[in-house]
Amino acid sequence: QEKERKRTQLDAAVKRLEKTPELIRTKQAQQIKANLLEAGGTMKIAMNYFSGERDSPAWNKAREFSQRISDLGVSGGQMKRWETAAQDYSDSIKILNEWKNMVRY
């Protein structure tokens, strides 16, 4: 039951994250920050749950994803460097997909 709850939370957070390219395109810095704050925290907790042991390859990949989301919050939400934000988003999705493969999500 806990596993299903975490999966539901993670899926909802991913849906929020998927709104980011449009927010970057329309240069909505405040909305990017709010969206990432909401999605990022939920994702970090859920990803750690599914990653297994601390310092496992999947756990480290989840940390890498979390760092990239933080970078995106800075580039798009604070600095308004839209091209960098777009690249940070692209990188974060790549890392997320790698993590999903690692944990068979």
Side-chain angles (χ1 to χ4, degrees):
Q1 213 172 30
E2 177 69 7
K3 185 176 184 178
E4 204 49 47
R5 189 171 69 78
K6 294 286 187 196
R7 182 178 292 277
T8 300
Q9 290 172 341
L10 184 55
D11 290 345
V14 168
K15 282 192 172 103
R16 283 193 299 274
L17 181 64
E18 289 172 346
K19 296 176 183 177
T20 304
E22 180 62 15
L23 299 175
I24 292 169
R25 189 185 71 72
T26 55
K27 300 181 179 178
Q28 297 182 52
Q30 287 297 97
Q31 197 59 37
I32 290 170
K33 283 195 293 191
N35 201 35
L36 293 179
L37 185 62
E38 187 177 343
T42 301
M43 291 183 82
K44 183 176 182 177
I45 292 166
M47 288 174 79
N48 286 342
Y49 174 83
F50 287 109
S51 293
E53 299 217 8
R54 185 179 177 96
D55 292 327
S56 69
W59 195 85
N60 287 329
K61 186 61 72 173
R63 283 191 53 192
E64 185 182 351
F65 172 80
S66 182
Q67 180 58 54
R68 186 56 67 174
I69 290 296
S70 294
D71 294 345
L72 174 56
V74 171
S75 63
Q78 292 177 6
M79 305 299 286
K80 300 179 184 176
R81 294 183 180 148
W82 305 115
E83 193 171 309
T84 303
Q87 186 60 53
D88 287 340
Y89 174 79
S90 179
D91 291 346
S92 70
I93 293 302
K94 179 177 178 264
I95 294 165
L96 177 62
N97 288 329
E98 290 169 357
W99 175 84
K100 284 180 174 182
N101 286 333
M102 293 173 90
V103 299
R104 294 176 180 84
Y105 187 83

